[in-house]
Amino acid sequence: EDNQIGDDGAKALAESLKVNSTLTKLNPEVNKIDADGLKALAEGLEVNNTLTLLHLEENCIGEGAKAIGEALKVNHTLTQLDLERNHIGDEGTKAMAEALKVNSSLTELNLEDNQIGDDGAKALAEGLKVNNTLAELNLENNPIGFDGEEALTEALKLSSSSTKVDF
């Protein structure tokens, strides 16, 4: 945490993830990783089959969330993902929502303070309708309005899982 590894460090970690057979937790929080570094990490996550926890809080990944969403579609071991304070916005959230439709391992997703509005919340609602593994979703400190909250509430009523959502 807080080692300022940046994109170069993230790319090195990604290469390690591709061949790793023992590491289960990775916590590069507050390390100045942006979209390029996250794209590399996502590539490593696509082939990794041991990592269960990935905390990327406060890294300014922004559009890189799309790459993580794609990786989650094929990764079957990650259970906890923390993307708090990463400026992923509605577009990054839509990628995460698409991943939720097919991912069967993720149980905790933290999207706190990511500038997610109604469009992102509505997309997440669609993902929650079909996901049956996510148990916790943190959406605190996002500008989600009435329409987004209503969509999420309705989705939770239809969901087969008992997901806890924090607004």
Side-chain angles (χ1 to χ4, degrees):
E1 182 179 328
D2 203 13
N3 289 310
Q4 311 305 315
I5 65 170
D7 286 342
D8 289 340
K11 290 173 183 175
L13 284 173
E15 290 305 310
S16 297
L17 284 177
K18 291 177 182 178
V19 296
N20 167 62
S21 61
T22 55
L23 185 71
T24 60
K25 298 177 182 179
L26 183 59
N27 187 6
E29 293 180 357
V30 195
N31 270 289
K32 295 189 178 180
I33 299 169
D34 68 19
D36 288 338
L38 191 71
K39 287 175 187 171
L41 279 173
E43 288 175 14
L45 193 59
E46 285 179 4
V47 297
N48 179 279
N49 60 9
T50 58
L51 202 67
T52 60
L53 180 143
L54 180 58
H55 281 213
L56 289 161
E57 184 178 332
E58 283 190 69
N59 273 300
C60 262
I61 60 172
E63 293 292 311
K66 292 178 183 177
I68 286 287
E70 289 301 312
L72 287 175
K73 289 179 180 179
V74 296
N75 179 284
H76 300 291
T77 56
L78 197 69
T79 59
Q80 297 177 29
L81 178 60
D82 186 344
L83 296 177
E84 183 179 342
R85 288 188 219 119
N86 270 293
H87 311 286
I88 68 170
D90 286 337
E91 292 307 309
T93 304
K94 289 175 184 177
M96 303 306 297
E98 287 301 310
L100 286 178
K101 291 179 181 178
V102 296
N103 181 280
S104 60
S105 63
L106 201 64
T107 60
E108 296 178 32
L109 178 59
N110 185 359
L111 298 176
E112 181 179 348
D113 200 9
N114 267 298
Q115 300 158 344
I116 300 167
D118 284 343
D119 288 346
K122 289 176 185 177
L124 281 172
E126 293 303 310
L128 288 174
K129 286 179 184 177
V130 295
N131 181 284
N132 59 11
T133 56
L134 194 69
E136 294 182 34
L137 174 61
N138 186 347
L139 293 170
E140 292 178 349
N141 299 316
N142 282 294
I144 297 171
F146 177 78
D147 290 345
E149 286 186 22
E150 184 176 52
L152 286 165
T153 301
E154 288 303 311
L156 292 173
K157 289 178 185 175
L158 300 172
S159 175
S160 61
S161 69
S162 55
T163 306
K164 174 188 170 207
V165 178
D166 293 319
F167 291 101

